[in-house]
Structures are given as C-alpha cells and as structure tokens.
Amino acid sequence: MKNFNWGHGVIIALASFMIFILSMMFLFPNGQKNSEMVTDNYYEEELKYQDVIDAKKRADELKEKPVYSQNTSGIKITFPKDYNNSNTKVKFVLNRTDDQNLDVHKTVQLDANQSFLIPAQVLKLGNYTLRLSWTKDKTDYRMDYDVIWK
C-alpha cells in the first residue's frame, strides 16, 4: 500500500463511476419501457392551449360541476340537472401515461339522469387522467380528474 498515489485514486474513482453507471443501466431498465408522448399532436395542441385554460377556468367557476364515481361496472360521470342532450355536447379522453394503446377517446350522449358510464371492460388496472370536455349553450368547459382504476 505504500505505492498508492493520486493516479491510482483517479483510476479507482473512474472505474467505480463506470461500474455505477452500468449497474444503473442493467439493474433499473424500467425507464425504457413505453416512454411515449401523451399525444401525437403535441405542438398543435400547445398552440390551442389558451382555449383549454379558458375552458378550465369557466368550469372552475361553475356552482354545480360534473362529478365522477367508480364502481364495479365502470366510471360514472353525472352532470347537474340543467344539462341535457339538446344543449350539451360531451366528450372525454382517458389518458394512460404508461401506454397510449390503453387510451379511450369518445363523444357521448347523456342518459335520462344526465350521466354516462365508461364501462369497466375498456379499463385496465392503473392510473388514468380523465379529461372531460363539454360544450353547453356554445360555451366550452373542461375538467381534468386523476383516476386510479382498481
């Protein structure tokens, strides 16, 4: 050990760093699977984002807002009583951040109870972002919910 100098220390430090980096690559490869963009039209949607901000602000100012609930049959979204199919157009997007193949996009009609159901058959276990957009009397609204489907 009496021949150990600073050159040996540099070599040991570089070798240790290389072993650390390689172990991170091979022991923790989870960051490599299904790392996709949330949307394919990211830049076009970014240009229209002020409309989204305005729609979210209008939705936040509503006295009665749509609510969602989960049960074994799926996710049910219920609107206030003054919403109906003649004055309201509703669409939703369920985004799955880990796999875009599990995303659900749909325009729906409200039933007699001013609600609609996203059936459990189209949902897989995991986290979703529910983006609920609707137009009532030619005014756009939007709300986002974080949903954990179990």
Side-chain angles (χ1 to χ4, degrees), residues 38 56 66-70 75-77 93-97 118 123-124 126-132 142-150:
V38 173
K56 284 183 176 184
V67 293
Y68 83 95
S69 59
Q70 296 183 29
I75 299 172
K76 183 176 184 177
I77 291 118
V93 177
L94 267 173
N95 279 102
R96 187 71 186 255
T97 55
I118 303 169
L123 302 170
K124 303 290 182 202
N127 298 332
Y128 288 92
T129 300
L130 172 62
R131 294 188 177 126
L132 182 64
R142 177 171 161 176
M143 293 185 77
D144 294 349
Y145 301 99
D146 291 325
V147 177
I148 299 173
W149 182 252
K150 297 180 182 182

Side-chain angles (χ1 to χ4, degrees), residues 23-58:
S23 67
M24 293 297 283
M25 284 175 37
F26 293 113
L27 295 177
F28 302 108
N30 292 336
Q32 296 176 0
K33 68 175 185 180
N34 289 337
S35 55
E36 303 164 344
M37 290 183 73
V38 173
T39 179
D40 291 331
N41 302 325
Y42 175 77
Y43 297 107
E44 291 84 4
E45 289 184 17
E46 183 70 25
L47 294 174
K48 297 186 283 186
Y49 200 68
Q50 184 61 45
D51 296 336
V52 172
I53 293 170
D54 295 340
K56 284 183 176 184
K57 183 178 178 186
R58 283 191 291 273

